[in-house]
Amino acid sequence: MLKISGVHTFYGHIEALKGVDIEVNEGEIVTLIGANGAGKSTLLMTICGTPRARSGSIVFNGRDIAQMPTYEIMRLGIAQSPEGRRIFPRMSVMENLRMGAITSQPQFFDADLERVFAIFPRLKERAQQRGGTLSGGEQQMLAIARALMSRPRLLLLDEPSLGLAPLIVRQIFEIIREINREQGMTVFLVEQNANHALKLAHRGYVLVNGVVTLSGTGQELLSNAEVRAAYLEGGH
Amino acid sequence: MEWLFELFHQVNYELPKFVQFLIVGLTLGSIYGLIAIGYTMVYGIIGMINFAHGDIYMIGAFQAMIVLLICGTLGISWVPLQLLLMLVVAVALTAAYGWSVERIAYRPLRGTQRLAPLISAIGMSIFLQNYVQLVQGPRPKPVEPVISGGVTVLTRADGFVAQLGYLQIVIVLLTVALMAGFTLLITRTSLGRAQRACEQDMKMASLLGVNVDRTISLTFVMGAGLAAVAGMMVTLYWGNNDFHMGFNAGIKAFTAAVLGGIGSLPGAMLGGVLIGLIEAFWSGYFTAEYKDVAAFSILVLVLIFRPTGLLGRPEVEKV
Ligand SMILES: Nc1ncnc2c1ncn2[C@@H]1O[C@H](COP(=O)(O)OP(=O)(O)OP(=O)(O)O)[C@@H](O)[C@H]1O
Ligand SMILES: [Mg+2]
């Protein structure tokens, strides 16, 4: 479904991605783990065309999207819950969700809204509250819900567990599993919380300084000595 | 009781003048408010002061005037039809100018330093003025009144009458209707939502599938359309168009936008009305000579003491 080959991304002269190859198949949950500054968020943003890959190809459902404008890429059925959540602060929860739905057909809106409210009942209670005044956890829920409103075929999640209480983290991971299982939605998940992420994912990649150093099934990576030393032990 | 009677007399004597200034102020304020919306929306979405906006208003005034002249040669004399044609043609053509200015002078510079588009805007302003000066000549163009007459509101013992002109009624009502419609557009429609989303986080808006460039273009188109209506109103009201008229009106409308809180739509409307009233009362009670100074002094004072304006939001925000 998504095939990233030899992607290089620069910020000015800084090379953040140094030839990344990653593949995500239809129906999978694939996770990308890596230390701070490894380039994980950069990769998710590069998939969306902002910043643009300087070289390499990004093929989504048979089309090379590497040079497409961002809004066109997103209209192909990709949605992202980005780093920092990026909730529109001066819009209500409801309006944020409406923004999420702009690429989908209007007739789906009510049903989709009901679906995300069923997943995140908290958002329903807060429907008229301004995005900027939500708590961090509520904003995270809203960011995921907003991404779901577009009915994406590929969902990109950037550290959905960041700053959340352990109970909510477990809930969010459970929700990702459900969405994937029940709706067959493909998920590409960036996580610091490697333990959770690798248990959840079918496959995973490890990114170090803009290069993929390891890949394998979630179980393989969980039992890999390097991964354990770098991302699992001493943490979580 | 004596003093109360005295006071009543005094008020009764002053009232007609006061009402007259109020009427003039609201009329001017409507015109400034319509122009101010263009400044505030463009600032809101791309953080840039569109110095050419006053000249877009001037273009609108000239378009309206030309349509009126064409109506004359074609023998179209039914006033409602004249007004409708002026409105439609001036808005459409001026919107096209607004769109082109953004495409030619601002979009190529997006993402560079903040100063570049400002300089480009000043260049655009000079270009538009020179262009109109060249094709229309430098002299002011008188326009015959289309809507005249009015109703007498108050009469004073010494014969002074406060008049409410039919044209003033048209101007204020049209402005109220446009502003109501515009508020609905911004708060209720998906286009308005996309505009506000771009204002708050352009990158996120594009990540949701908003065509940001198109949204910005439409913002210029709307601002120019409203400025064209203001230009048409002023053509009917003063009927004395010249290529330089956008400068003064532009600065006053910009002052209105800053006074109301730049980036705020209700602020631009409120600011426009306030600037109109201040100008009318200043000219009425002091001297018309310095009416422009009044507006500019307010700009300076607001920038010093309350840069966020009356309805603007403070810069710090919890995100
Ligand atoms: N806008 C930017 N301008 C310049 N450099 C940037 C920019 N964004 C990211 N970088 C740099 O690119 C590198 C990769 O950053 P990125 O945000 O992709 O890391 P990450 O893996 O998501 O880290 P984290 O886990 O901390 O979120 C970092 O060295 C960062 O400093
Ligand atoms: Mg990151």
Side-chain angles (χ1 to χ4, degrees):
Chain A
M1 168 176 251
L2 180 74
K3 191 166 162 50
I4 301 166
S5 330
V7 161
H8 292 256
T9 301
F10 289 77
Y11 293 111
H13 295 295
I14 304 165
E15 188 173 16
L17 298 180
K18 303 165 183 166
V20 173
D21 300 291
I22 280 177
E23 196 163 350
V24 180
N25 301 310
E26 182 114 42
E28 273 188 320
I29 301 178
V30 173
T31 189
L32 178 67
I33 59 175
N36 293 123
K40 305 181 297 296
S41 303
T42 303
L43 181 64
L44 288 194
M45 283 299 188
T46 304
I47 294 171
C48 300
T50 166
R52 212 161 277 299
R54 189 170 292 181
S55 57
S57 74
I58 303 173
V59 176
F60 178 67
N61 284 329
R63 288 175 73 172
D64 191 343
I65 58 174
Q67 302 306 323
M68 256 188 210
T70 299
Y71 71 92
E72 280 182 20
I73 296 173
M74 308 323 279
R75 288 175 185 186
L76 296 175
I78 300 180
Q80 185 178 170
S81 163
E83 178 163 57
R85 297 153 190 154
R86 305 191 90 133
I87 297 304
F88 299 112
R90 281 168 272 123
M91 284 192 184
S92 66
V93 167
M94 196 65 185
E95 282 189 305
N96 269 279
L97 292 172
R98 277 190 190 282
M99 283 307 299
I102 52 173
T103 57
S104 91
Q105 311 273 339
Q107 72 262 26
F108 295 144
F109 182 78
D110 290 335
D112 288 349
L113 188 67
E114 216 157 283
R115 205 185 59 190
V116 299
F117 279 163
I119 300 173
F120 301 108
R122 186 55 166 268
L123 294 181
K124 190 172 187 174
E125 293 163 27
R126 308 262 159 190
Q128 297 313 321
Q129 192 172 326
R130 277 158 50 113
T133 62
L134 293 176
S135 79
E138 289 164 345
Q139 287 193 350
Q140 187 64 66
M141 294 177 203
L142 180 54
I144 299 173
R146 182 177 60 184
L148 290 175
M149 287 303 289
S150 69
R151 310 189 142 217
R153 298 165 70 183
L154 172 63
L155 177 63
L156 308 175
L157 296 172
D158 197 338
E159 303 200 32
S161 71
L162 190 72
L164 299 186
L167 184 69
I168 313 268
V169 172
R170 222 165 305 143
Q171 267 178 21
I172 295 228
F173 277 84
E174 201 41 56
I175 286 163
I176 297 169
R177 192 195 306 276
E178 263 170 44
I179 293 170
N180 170 259
R181 204 178 283 156
E182 283 161 24
Q183 298 167 34
M185 195 180 288
T186 311
V187 180
F188 187 36
L189 170 71
V190 162
E191 258 304 334
Q192 289 282 335
N193 200 330
N195 187 26
H196 266 106
L198 290 171
K199 278 183 187 153
L200 172 74
H202 301 110
R203 292 189 304 111
Y205 292 85
V206 178
L207 191 67
V208 177
N209 279 329
V211 185
V212 172
T213 55
L214 277 173
S215 66
T217 66
Q219 282 310 315
E220 278 167 16
L221 290 177
L222 267 177
S223 50
N224 181 295
E226 272 177 64
V227 173
R228 297 194 68 84
Y231 305 107
L232 297 173
E233 257 132 50
H236 320 289
Chain B
M1 286 314 281
E2 189 72 4
W3 64 271
L4 198 65
F5 192 69
E6 191 64 23
L7 183 71
F8 179 75
H9 244 292
Q10 192 66 30
V11 167
N12 210 16
Y13 185 76
E14 292 295 341
L15 200 59
K17 269 233 152 92
F18 181 87
V19 167
Q20 187 66 77
F21 299 152
L22 193 66
I23 291 168
V24 171
L26 288 175
T27 312
L28 289 178
S30 298
I31 293 169
Y32 294 148
L34 288 175
I35 308 172
I37 290 175
Y39 281 107
T40 224
M41 285 193 25
V42 164
Y43 183 86
I45 200 160
I46 55 174
M48 169 202 157
I49 295 157
N50 179 9
F51 282 115
H53 188 58
D55 303 291
I56 290 288
Y57 148 85
M58 175 272 291
I59 295 274
F62 270 86
Q63 306 285 9
M65 181 190 83
I66 292 166
V67 173
L68 194 60
L69 293 176
I70 292 176
C71 282
T73 43
L74 293 182
I76 300 170
S77 57
W78 191 46
V79 173
L81 183 61
Q82 286 182 337
L83 294 181
L84 188 70
L85 286 173
M86 283 170 92
L87 190 70
V88 171
V89 176
V91 167
L93 291 180
T94 309
Y97 272 87
W99 183 85
S100 312
V101 165
E102 193 270 337
R103 277 311 290 263
I104 294 167
Y106 308 151
R107 190 183 295 183
L109 298 170
R110 204 132 67 223
T112 59
Q113 317 98 309
R114 282 174 80 80
L115 209 53
L118 285 185
I119 293 166
S120 186
I122 293 170
M124 219 52 218
S125 163
I126 295 170
F127 169 79
L128 289 173
Q129 289 187 25
N130 282 298
Y131 160 66
V132 172
Q133 183 180 13
L134 208 64
V135 295
Q136 293 288 334
R139 267 192 306 268
K141 305 263 176 212
V143 180
E144 287 296 309
V146 175
I147 304 175
S148 46
V151 289
T152 301
V153 187
L154 285 171
T155 313
R156 201 162 67 184
D158 67 358
F160 177 87
V161 281
Q163 274 261 346
L164 174 59
Y166 294 131
L167 179 58
Q168 288 167 325
I169 298 176
V170 169
I171 287 176
V172 172
L173 287 185
L174 183 57
T175 302
V176 169
L178 279 175
M179 287 187 174
F182 206 68
T183 305
L184 282 180
L185 177 79
I186 296 299
T187 55
R188 296 290 152 80
T189 68
S190 61
L191 172 60
R193 213 160 22 241
Q195 280 178 314
R196 283 181 289 133
C198 287
E199 264 181 53
Q200 295 175 33
D201 187 342
M202 210 172 265
K203 189 169 191 174
M204 190 63 227
S206 72
L207 283 178
L208 293 171
V210 173
N211 184 343
V212 172
D213 281 337
R214 183 172 156 270
T215 309
I216 293 173
S217 282
L218 284 173
T219 305
F220 275 83
V221 163
M222 289 176 189
L226 292 177
V229 178
M232 167 187 159
M233 288 171 173
V234 105
T235 301
L236 296 169
Y237 195 55
W238 279 329
N240 200 24
N241 293 348
D242 69 56
F243 71 95
H244 199 250
M245 65 191 282
F247 179 75
N248 235 315
I251 291 194
K252 283 180 199 159
F254 174 63
T255 304
V258 173
L259 175 62
I262 190 125
S264 156
L265 204 58
M269 302 174 186
L270 176 67
V273 170
L274 287 177
I275 293 292
L277 289 174
I278 289 165
E279 185 173 328
F281 282 104
W282 182 284
S283 325
Y285 285 121
F286 301 107
T287 159
E289 299 274 298
Y290 292 106
K291 69 178 168 37
D292 297 343
V293 175
F296 302 152
S297 311
I298 288 163
L299 177 59
V300 173
L301 290 177
V302 173
L303 286 175
I304 293 172
F305 293 109
R306 199 180 159 86
T308 55
L310 297 172
L311 303 182
R313 67 201 138 74
E315 282 303 312
V316 262
E317 185 153 78
K318 180 192 170 191
V319 181

